[in-house]
Amino acid sequence: MKPSISAKLTQLTHRLDELNSLLGSEDLTSDMDNYRRLTREHAEIGPVVDLYRSYCSAQGDLHAAQEMANDPESLEFAEAEMRETRERLDRIELELQKQLLPKDPNEERNIFLEIRAGTGGEESALFAADLFRMYARFAERNRWQVEVISQSASDMGGFREIIARLIGTGAYSRLKFESGAHRVQRVPDTETQGRIHTSACTVAVFPEADEVQDIVLNPADLKIDTYRASGAGGQHINKTDSAVRITHVPTGTIVECQDDRSQHKNKARAMAVLAARIKDKQVREQQSRIAATRKSLVGSGDRSERIRTYNFPQGRVTDHRINLTLYKIAAIMDGDLYELTDALIAEHQAELLAQLAEDTAAA
């Protein structure tokens, strides 16, 4: 193990001891924001330190086996023990390198998921509904909650647009590579001659901000309008200006929410979406500034970038960023996204490890 990595791990071990002491303080919960920060840091550092302790233990086992090899009667056993221990050390070291890769601070956050119909008319709207069901079923498999923020239904039961909040630990880490253009090839229900049509939807995934205060929102920059909600809801919908539209004037960002009968709740939801959108925009701008010559193998995340094709006649789903094709479209559309998300995460880690190796060699 390189001395720089060993020093970093030793530092994290000391920090974990410090966190254990702080979290044992009786008055810690008096400041809930600080409590959440400390528990989140503890959850991040704990597994790394446990791995490092396993590595140190394995090093002790290797040293003991090397000493045992000095005894001719124990040589064969000692050599087998050394071989096994070195393999274990290599596995742990690789895992430690992965754990020490730069962490996305949003990994464990809830997300806002936006799906918009694109080219393809009504068929695109129907596909947007299929995509929403796919992600909702994936959320169900992970025991996440799904909260619809707003939706605009099409004439045939699809969605021109739907925005939802997915609530659950690790939602962003699992779905952050879903942003982009999703293309579908199939025979639409409206097609009478059996011809295959191609249409597309745009998916956007961004992490929920901790609070609106996490983003500087000047009230003077906000234009807030209320209006009567449209759609089902009976007499209440027709009589009360419960729907809310918030415009962030400096960026032109507009958020609408009308799903609740309470104007106050609609406003709170709209503010949360607005804060998340603006934070997402700021992060993307920062990433584009610091990106040098390397580009992640999982794509830029540009929402105009075609990332995946769902071909129903052939029963396949292809992710174009990593050239992965799976012939299990029914399972995927039913929310079995693990093989896709695992492959995307693994490819991203491989790219980061390659960068780490280059940086270490250059240092």
Side-chain angles (χ1 to χ4, degrees), residues 11-312:
Q11 180 185 352
L12 289 177
T13 302
H14 294 325
R15 176 57 179 165
L16 185 65
D17 292 338
E18 184 181 353
L19 287 170
N20 285 331
S21 176
L22 290 170
L23 289 170
S25 174
E26 293 183 359
D27 59 347
L28 179 64
T29 53
S30 60
D31 184 347
M32 289 306 296
D33 286 340
N34 185 48
Y35 174 74
R36 281 191 289 268
R37 280 193 296 270
L38 292 177
T39 52
R40 184 179 295 170
E41 185 181 0
H42 188 279
E44 290 174 355
I45 292 177
V48 183
V49 173
D50 287 343
L51 267 177
Y52 182 51
R53 286 171 175 161
S54 296
Y55 183 86
C56 293
S57 176
Q59 279 187 316
D61 293 342
L62 179 62
H63 181 69
Q66 287 169 336
E67 288 192 341
M68 195 185 305
N70 295 324
D71 182 356
E73 293 183 2
S74 306
L75 180 60
E76 185 177 348
F77 174 78
E79 287 178 341
E81 187 71 13
M82 285 189 290
R83 186 166 53 252
E84 180 185 330
T85 304
R86 287 193 180 101
E87 290 175 358
R88 181 153 47 104
L89 282 167
D90 289 343
R91 288 195 301 270
I92 296 174
E93 185 170 359
L94 178 60
E95 187 58 34
L96 279 169
Q97 288 179 7
K98 290 180 181 178
Q99 293 282 354
L100 289 175
L101 290 173
K103 293 280 192 306
D104 186 331
N106 299 312
E107 288 283 288
E108 300 304 315
R109 291 183 187 268
N110 304 328
I111 64 169
F112 287 106
L113 170 71
E114 299 185 357
I115 304 173
R116 291 184 176 84
T119 56
E122 189 63 42
E123 165 63 6
S124 177
L126 290 171
F127 182 52
D130 291 339
L131 285 177
F132 176 69
R133 179 183 180 278
M134 178 183 78
Y135 290 121
R137 292 284 290 118
F138 184 64
E140 184 181 318
R141 290 168 186 259
N142 286 279
R143 299 185 179 180
W144 302 335
Q145 297 177 45
V146 178
E147 177 184 292
V148 175
I149 302 297
S150 67
Q151 56 183 293
S152 173
S154 68
D155 295 337
M156 293 182 63
F159 292 118
R160 286 186 285 270
E161 175 187 273
I162 183 165
I163 302 173
R165 179 176 175 236
L166 272 56
I167 307 161
T169 303
Y172 184 69
S173 66
R174 270 287 171 185
L175 294 177
K176 65 180 179 179
F177 298 123
E178 293 301 299
S179 293
H182 294 239
R183 185 177 68 171
V184 62
Q185 296 171 325
R186 65 183 177 185
V187 179
D189 293 338
T190 55
E191 172 59 51
T192 58
Q193 300 188 24
R195 291 173 298 187
I196 296 173
H197 288 225
T198 299
S199 57
C201 291
T202 300
V203 173
V205 173
F206 43 88
E208 179 182 36
D210 273 339
E211 296 179 10
V212 172
Q213 288 79 6
D214 199 22
I215 297 296
V216 178
L217 291 177
N218 187 341
D221 293 336
L222 303 178
K223 179 185 177 185
I224 302 176
D225 300 307
T226 58
Y227 58 97
R228 293 182 184 179
S230 59
Q235 293 181 349
H236 174 89
I237 287 288
N238 298 324
K239 292 183 177 180
T240 309
D241 289 347
S242 59
V244 175
R245 179 189 298 111
I246 303 178
T247 304
H248 185 247
V249 178
T251 62
T253 306
I254 300 174
V255 176
E256 297 181 355
C257 187
Q258 62 172 2
D259 271 32
D260 202 281
R261 293 188 175 187
S262 163
Q263 183 187 111
H264 176 73
K265 289 182 179 179
N266 283 332
K267 181 179 177 182
R269 286 180 175 180
M271 286 290 283
V273 175
L274 179 65
R277 280 190 187 173
I278 292 174
K279 180 175 182 178
D280 179 65
K281 183 174 184 293
Q282 291 176 352
V283 169
R284 286 176 178 275
E285 288 175 349
Q286 182 186 37
Q287 288 175 341
S288 66
R289 285 195 301 268
I290 64 175
T293 57
R294 300 180 69 92
K295 178 182 175 183
S296 171
L297 290 176
V298 296
S300 65
D302 186 338
R303 284 156 197 167
S304 65
E305 177 186 14
R306 188 190 70 185
I307 65 167
R308 193 174 295 150
T309 295
Y310 304 74
N311 187 303
F312 279 77

